[in-house]
Every structure is written in structure tokens, then in C-alpha cells.
Amino acid sequence: MADVTLRKVVKRYDEVEAVRGIDLDIADHEFVVLVGPSGCGKSTTLRMIAGLEDISDGDIMIGGDVVNDVPPKDRDIAMVFQNYALYPHMTVAENMSFGLRLKRYPKAEIKSRVDEAARMLDIVELVDRKPKQLSGGQRQRVAMGRAIVRNPKVFLFDEPLSNLDAKLRVQMRIEIKKVHQKVRTTTVYVTHDQVEAMTLADRVVVMNHGRIEQIGTPNELYHKPATKFVASFIGSPAMNFIPCRLEDLAGKLHVRLTDRIAFPLPPARAARYQGIPRADKLLLGLRPEHITEAKPHPEPGVEAFETVLDVTEPMGMETLIYFTLEGAQVCGRVNPNAGAQDGAPLRLAVDLNNMHLLNEVTGVVL
Amino acid sequence: MTTATIDKAAPTRKVKYGSMSRDRAWALRWSYFFLVIFAIFFLTPPIYMFITSLKSSAEISAATNPWWVFHPTLENYAGLLTSNQFLRFFWNSAIVSIFVVTITMLISVPAAFALSRMRFWGSATLATGVFLTYLIPETLLFIPLFKMFAVIGDWTGIQLINKWYVLLILYPTLTVPFCTWIMIGYFASIPKELDEAAVIDGASWIQTLTRIFIPVAFPGIIAATIFAFTVSWAQFLYPLVFTTSTDQLVMPVGIITSLIKGDVFNWGQIMTGALLGAAPPLIIYAFLMDYYIAGLTAGATKG
Ligand SMILES: Nc1ncnc2c1ncn2[C@@H]1O[C@H](COP(=O)(O)OP(=O)(O)OP(=O)(O)O)[C@@H](O)[C@H]1O
Ligand SMILES: [Mg+2]
């Protein structure tokens, strides 16, 4: 068990800078998820922690020791690969014990560790099989078992679930969470699936173009995104961005969306946005759940307006509605009984207590 | 409306299916046609040899029907298998081949591993270079090589020419490049994550090679072994040039030098010797083929 620290870590491949200076402190026992779009440098970062890639610049510390030049086998880490990478000629038990056998652990100790891991992962009856006799989900469990028996300082996962079908992925996600609750090993987990990131992580690191965009707990990222990239990456369906301006109307600060629609800001928000120049081009960020059908007695800060819907998507528990404001497609979530219909007008309410205001040019959340 | 669509689609599908299976039938017919022709073509000589090997010298020279044995006899087999000279050739061939296969595998497996995985400076060029050496025929090399060994003999007093073990130096120049090339191909098909997993599990390069790569690429090793064995068992030019004393000869050269006396061809024994000589590679093929066909990395990844 150990903490992991990255200091200004850079990775250059000839011309390309895959990772451009990453600072990250991962506490002991913490489960940190690196998330971001394809090619943003998640795997590269993970592989540098593992020691599979040299670092071009900066320092990586595991348990307080700089490990820049320490080979992978001496870093005391375990890694689970996207394609499992099981040794095809060994049985499940041999796969799991390979690392321990190389280190010449006593036979009894190896057996007890393998048994324990197999029990934890519910693969006891599979230990004598070869990998080719296992299903994808079972192979993934064996790959995790191989990491667990080593009892390393750090677990590294590189998109371990992306080869599984949707249902199995949900199941294995829970499995991984359970394992982490039991063994409490510091974990760095790479995924491009924001749901996986939100559900698994103690803290999520959102990466983009080789840089860290934001670090925070799942809730922080969801409710207080720092940039438009994070705001749009986290959450499904994604946050809506509607072009807008600030305007003073009758002594109160308003946010103007269209010629027809301008909402007065709740007092807390008005105070926060007071200093923004009125001419600035802004974006109003609203999550779909904050655009609902209008209610007879709205709470303070909830403003109603009327619009014509383009498309509706009944999901059972709720209905997703899509309409257009100032050229931007907007998604809302209404009650299935609210009477939303394709092409029909509907009176909607926006909850401005949960709004975000972004600079349209820089994408920074104000 | 739905039914109408189905009714319409059904005959179309049937026709398509029919034409596909007709294609297949024709493809099969052609395959059988050519396979039978090739089989006849390649099996005729050994059958002829076998028939001749059962005849006495008298019957061969009597020029009766060459495809029929009127007085079958095992005297050629008995003659050869009791001849110390023939057994000596056989023994020399066996020793040379076993050593060459061992030497080849000891060199080409680690070489292929280094060239395909360790990615040192110039490894790609070196890999191509290894293959190019295989393309130079031995007919081009035997004179300079002979001269080389003669010079070495003059300078150091180590006489290699006319000793069977000179072949242990010569044959690997043929087998090592090709076997290295085969093994590079097999190693390349092993996913990179497998050696990364091994490295993280704490394996050194040597351990990754011996505990992961060799077992996983075992079919490739079998293929390379078969190749090395066949080449060294059947090689003719080098032993013809470099060995002359009867006790140093290997089988292919031994048969023609000892069984052809002047212009007297002992056909019965020549055929018998050739047949007996072809037996070991056949036996090796038969035993190793099962392993060769076994799957390579099944189960390593998502499959
Ligand atoms: N060996 C390499 N040589 C050159 N460029 C590389 C190499 N490996 C990765 N890159 C580049 O580095 C960048 C980051 O790659 P990385 O594999 O870390 O992406 P990722 O975030 O894991 O993406 P994905 O979700 O698709 O796996 C990419 O732009 C990629 O093209
Ligand atoms: Mg990746």
C-alpha cells in the first residue's frame, strides 16, 4: 500500500507530446479514475506509472520513492490489461501464481493466496482450467486475481471492462468496487466511459489533450465542473449549452437567451455574476434534469417558458424532450405524464439555482 | 404485407444459396482433380523405388516389367542393414542432424526473441539482414568456404576438412537464418501485453523467453525443428565437397559414393538406401505434426 505522486510528468514520442505535464497526488487506499476521450494520454500516463514507458520529464513517486528509473518488476505494482493478457499455456491457478512463483514464495503461501483470491472473485471451480476454456468475464476475473495475489502497492487498470458486453460490464464494475473495499489497495483506473468513472472513483481525473482538465470527487465534477469540456464530458445526456448574455432589467440581473426569453437570476447567482461585462458572449449551462415541465407553484429561482418540442423520447421512468433555442439543441427530462409530444408546444421550467455560466470563447465556467 | 415480403424474399435466397453451394462443389471438384494429379506425380518415384528395392540384381538387369516384382526378396535390405559402412553413414547423418537442430534452436530462438521484442538500435535492419543471408545459395558459397577452411587449417593446424563435424559449422549457416525468421513471425503474433504482464509479474528477459514465449510459440518451435532437421538430413552439396573418407560420410553422399562403383550401379541397394534414408524425416513429421497444428495463443486475450 502506498501513495502515488506525479510531478510535472511529460511524455514525448518523437514529435508528439502525448502527456504534457501532469501533477497528481493519489493518497494511500484511494481509487482514482483517469477519464477522457480517446488519445488524451490516459494509457500513456498509466504505463508510465507502471514503468512500461520511460518518462520524458518530471518525477513519479510510489510510496515516497522516486521510481523514474526503477524497472516495472521492482515497483511492486500490478496491472490489469484491456485484453486480459493471460498466459495461454497456464491454468488459472498458474496464471495467478506466476509472479509469486518467480519470487520463490513458499508453496503453501502461494496456495493460500490463490485460494483466497479465487474465493473473492468467485472463480474457485475454474482454477484448473486454461484461459481458452473461460468466458470473457471469467478471463477478466482471472486477470484481476493475478493482480490481487501479488498484494502489490498499487493496482493499475487500463480499460479492463471495455471488451465486455454492457450487462457484464455493470456486473464487473460492482465486482471491482467490492474487491477494492476488501483489499483497499491504491488503485489507478483508466477508462473512457464517464459512467464507469463516476461509479467507481473516490476521485476522478478528467484528461484532455495530454493535460489534466479537472480533478475532483464524482459529485464535484458533476455539480461544479471547471470547464466546458468537463461539463459536457460528465453526465448523460450531456449538459445543454445555450448562447446567452447578461442584461439588467428593472434593476435585476437577467440572463437573456432569445429576444423573447430572459430569466431573472436568483439572488445568490446574481451576486456571483454581477461583475461580468454585459456584452460578453456567454453560454448558459443547464443539465437536462434542470429543465422540466412547469409546475403550478414553482420554487424560487425556477422560471417558466413555453416552447415547441422537436422530438420526445419516452424512457419509461421519464421522457427526454428535445427542442431548439437560438440554434442550440436542448435536452430536458420531464415526467411521462406531462403530455410531451413530438412537435407540440409545452410549458417548461428551468432551475436556475443549478445553472452554470460559461465564457463562450475560453470555455471556463464562471 | 409482411407475409408478402417474406414470400418474395424466399425464392431469391434459395437461388443464392444454391449457387453458392454449386460454386463450392466445383471448387471441391477442381481441388480433388489437382490433388490427385499431384499425388500421382509425387508418389510415383517412391513407389517405383520401393518396387525396385524388392528385386534382386538379376531381376533388375533382366529388364522385366519394372512395375511388378516376380521374385520378391529382402536381400537388399538385409545387405544394407548388416553393412557396417551403411550403418556408419546412417549414424553420421543422425549425429550431424541432431547436433545441427540443437545448435540451430539454441541460436535462432533467443535471436528471434531479441530481434522481435527487445527493440535495440538497428534490430529491424538486422532482422532483414538475417533473412537476406538465407537467400544466398550454397552453390555460390562452397568454394570460398572450402578455401576458408583450408586457410584456417594451414594457419592454426586445426583440420576441419574431411571431418564430419565440419558440417556442424556449415549447416547452421543454412538453418539459423530461416529458423530465426520463422520464430520472429511466431513471436510477433504474441500480443505485446503478454510480455508486459510478465515483466510486471517480475520476469526477467530470460524468464519471459523461457516461461512465456517458448511454451506459447511451441508450434513455431516444432516447425523450425522440422525444417532444420530436414535441411541437415537431406543436405547434399556441402558433405559432398567437404567430406571424402568413407567413415566421415553422411547418408546422401555415402549411398552414391559407396554403391556406385565405377559405372556399375547397384540399383537395388541404391533404392533401398534412399528409402531407408527417407524414413527418419517421415517419422519426425508424423510425431510432431500434432503439436504443430495446436493453437498458438488461444485464450490469451479476449478471443
Ligand atoms: N508509441 C507511440 N508512438 C507515438 N505516439 C504514440 C505512441 N503511443 C501513444 N501515442 C500517442 O499518444 C497519445 C496518447 O495515447 P494514449 O494511448 O495514452 O491514449 P488514451 O488516452 O489511452 O486513448 P484510448 O482511450 O484510445 O486508449 C495519442 O495521441 C497517441 O497517438
Ligand atoms: Mg488507452
Side-chain angles (χ1 to χ4, degrees):
Chain A
M1 311 263 162
D3 46 4
V4 177
T5 306
L6 277 68
R7 284 274 164 275
K8 302 212 175 349
V9 172
V10 174
K11 177 69 189 180
R12 272 182 293 268
Y13 291 109
D14 302 326
E15 319 281 86
V16 229
E17 255 192 359
V19 174
R20 313 166 181 226
I22 283 196
D23 282 295
L24 181 60
D25 289 287
I26 301 166
D28 201 2
H29 306 310
E30 199 176 18
F31 197 118
V32 165
V33 175
L34 305 183
V35 70
S38 188
C40 70
K42 313 177 291 283
S43 297
T44 307
T45 307
L46 194 75
R47 292 167 58 81
M48 286 192 289
I49 299 175
L52 295 173
E53 302 280 351
D54 294 329
I55 60 178
S56 310
D57 228 323
D59 289 312
I60 294 181
M61 283 165 264
I62 297 177
D65 303 319
V66 175
V67 293
N68 293 3
D69 299 316
V70 177
K73 69 187 172 86
D74 299 326
R75 292 194 185 192
D76 199 6
I77 43 131
M79 186 153 169
V80 176
F81 294 87
Q82 176 173 7
N83 62 9
Y84 323 139
L86 300 178
Y87 310 125
H89 58 296
M90 297 185 194
T91 65
V92 166
E94 286 165 348
N95 258 285
M96 297 209 289
S97 60
F98 184 62
L100 300 180
R101 284 185 284 135
L102 286 179
K103 294 202 178 73
R104 305 201 179 285
Y105 273 61
K107 277 221 168 63
E109 162 103 25
I110 293 178
K111 183 160 171 25
S112 79
R113 283 210 203 179
V114 169
D115 286 348
E116 194 192 329
R119 228 176 303 120
M120 196 189 297
L121 294 163
D122 204 15
I123 48 173
V124 175
E125 65 282 11
L126 304 180
V127 289
D128 293 323
R129 292 212 199 156
K130 292 274 177 68
K132 65 165 174 272
Q133 299 164 305
L134 302 177
S135 71
Q138 290 168 334
R139 286 179 201 174
Q140 191 59 69
R141 282 168 203 261
V142 176
M144 275 168 61
R146 190 167 65 182
I148 292 170
V149 293
R150 298 252 319 276
N151 191 20
K153 285 184 189 155
V154 185
F155 282 154
L156 305 173
F157 290 87
D158 193 355
E159 309 210 19
L161 306 184
S162 55
N163 280 337
L164 303 178
D165 64 56
K167 211 166 158 189
L168 201 53
R169 203 171 334 174
V170 173
Q171 196 186 327
M172 286 303 293
R173 204 163 73 199
I174 297 167
E175 208 72 26
I176 290 177
K177 202 157 184 170
K178 277 192 200 155
V179 166
H180 184 252
Q181 280 165 359
K182 275 182 210 144
V183 300
R184 307 288 304 146
T185 306
T186 313
T187 303
V188 187
Y189 185 105
V190 162
T191 178
H192 60 248
D193 177 356
Q194 53 101 11
V195 179
E196 232 168 87
M198 297 288 280
T199 48
L200 283 171
D202 293 324
R203 276 193 307 155
V204 179
V205 177
V206 182
M207 291 183 62
N208 190 21
H209 290 306
R211 289 209 176 79
I212 291 181
E213 199 83 19
Q214 189 176 0
I215 305 177
T217 64
N219 270 330
E220 276 168 8
L221 292 185
Y222 192 80
H223 295 292
K224 292 182 193 140
T227 61
K228 184 180 177 196
F229 178 81
V230 177
S232 58
F233 193 80
I234 305 285
S236 173
M239 187 187 280
N240 301 296
F241 299 102
I242 310 158
C244 68
R245 271 182 299 113
L246 289 179
E247 203 172 280
D248 296 291
L249 279 180
K252 284 188 79 178
L253 190 59
H254 282 60
V255 56
R256 174 164 291 285
L257 303 183
T258 67
D259 294 340
R260 276 189 315 116
I261 305 175
F263 302 126
L265 293 180
R269 295 285 168 167
R272 179 158 150 199
Y273 300 136
Q274 195 61 51
I276 299 172
R278 303 297 182 256
D280 276 10
K281 286 194 166 179
L282 302 173
L283 291 173
L284 172 65
L286 272 175
R287 293 215 177 266
E289 60 266 36
H290 300 132
I291 302 176
T292 58
E293 71 279 9
K295 305 220 171 70
H297 307 291
E299 310 201 346
V302 177
E303 301 294 335
F305 70 103
E306 177 128 353
T307 190
V308 176
L309 305 181
D310 296 335
V311 179
T312 61
E313 286 184 343
M315 310 292 284
M317 194 178 86
E318 63 186 10
T319 298
L320 296 180
I321 53 163
Y322 297 89
F323 57 96
T324 318
L325 268 185
E326 284 298 282
Q329 173 171 286
V330 182
C331 172
R333 306 165 85 149
V334 302
N335 192 295
N337 304 321
Q341 276 182 354
D342 293 0
L346 187 69
R347 198 162 167 73
L348 297 175
V350 296
D351 182 357
L352 294 176
N353 299 308
N354 287 302
M355 66 175 274
H356 304 276
L357 213 50
L358 296 83
N359 184 314
E360 192 178 355
V361 184
T362 62
V364 173
V365 177
L366 304 166
Chain B
M1 207 192 131
T2 324
T3 12
T5 329
I6 289 175
D7 281 352
K8 235 175 155 182
T12 333
R13 215 179 302 142
K14 215 172 190 175
V15 168
K16 201 177 167 196
Y17 186 78
S19 83
M20 260 170 69
S21 76
R22 209 164 50 218
D23 278 357
R24 198 177 127 76
W26 271 109
L28 277 180
R29 247 168 259 170
W30 280 110
S31 328
Y32 278 117
F33 177 70
F34 282 109
L35 283 172
V36 167
I37 289 192
F38 281 121
I40 291 172
F41 188 75
F42 286 110
L43 285 179
T44 305
I47 291 171
Y48 185 77
M49 287 162 68
F50 179 65
I51 292 170
T52 312
S53 75
L54 295 175
K55 295 182 180 180
S56 63
S57 296
E59 189 176 341
I60 295 171
S61 45
T64 53
N65 180 357
W67 296 100
W68 192 254
V69 193
F70 295 96
H71 308 285
T73 167
L74 287 176
E75 70 182 33
N76 292 321
Y77 289 86
L80 278 184
L81 292 175
T82 52
S83 141
N84 280 334
Q85 204 180 38
F86 180 78
L87 291 179
R88 180 82 213 177
F89 300 155
F90 202 93
W91 173 252
N92 283 348
S93 269
I95 289 291
V96 167
S97 299
I98 289 169
F99 270 115
V100 168
V101 166
T102 313
I103 293 170
T104 305
M105 296 321 279
L106 284 179
I107 298 175
S108 58
V109 169
F113 180 69
L115 288 173
S116 64
R117 277 316 210 264
M118 293 172 77
R119 273 196 276 135
F120 49 90
W121 187 83
S123 56
T125 323
L126 207 55
T128 320
V130 165
F131 185 62
L132 288 182
T133 54
Y134 173 69
L135 298 180
I136 303 171
E138 64 261 36
T139 39
L140 215 62
L141 292 177
F142 74 95
I143 295 172
L145 278 172
F146 192 90
K147 185 78 194 154
M148 240 171 71
F149 284 118
V151 169
I152 290 174
D154 287 348
W155 283 1
T156 61
I158 302 172
Q159 260 325 322
L160 288 170
I161 291 171
N162 197 18
K163 297 278 188 289
W164 63 269
Y165 42 76
V166 72
L167 303 178
L168 302 187
I169 306 174
L170 290 169
Y171 287 5
T173 62
L174 303 168
T175 53
V176 166
F178 192 74
C179 291
T180 307
W181 194 252
I182 295 181
M183 290 317 298
I184 288 178
Y186 272 90
F187 286 164
S189 72
I190 297 177
K192 189 163 68 79
E193 283 83 358
L194 220 57
D195 29 323
E196 289 178 348
V199 163
I200 287 179
D201 264 343
S204 62
W205 281 115
I206 298 290
Q207 283 168 323
T208 307
L209 173 63
T210 55
R211 318 252 324 229
I212 309 290
F213 273 65
I214 290 180
V216 171
F218 201 65
I221 295 196
I222 298 293
T225 307
I226 290 178
F227 174 83
F229 183 83
T230 313
V231 165
S232 40
W233 188 265
Q235 176 56 230
F236 183 72
L237 183 61
Y238 281 159
L240 181 68
V241 173
F242 285 85
T243 52
T244 42
S245 318
T246 14
D247 62 335
Q248 304 294 327
L249 293 182
V250 291
M251 187 120 82
V253 180
I255 290 174
I256 61 147
T257 50
S258 67
L259 297 181
I260 300 173
K261 303 213 167 62
D263 54 359
V264 180
F265 287 65
N266 189 347
W267 281 119
Q269 286 204 346
I270 292 177
M271 294 301 176
T272 311
L275 274 183
L276 289 177
L282 274 181
I283 292 168
I284 294 216
Y285 274 44
F287 270 103
L288 298 185
M289 230 27 188
D290 285 351
Y291 294 96
Y292 179 61
I293 289 161
L296 190 53
T297 53
T301 58
K302 77 185 165 92

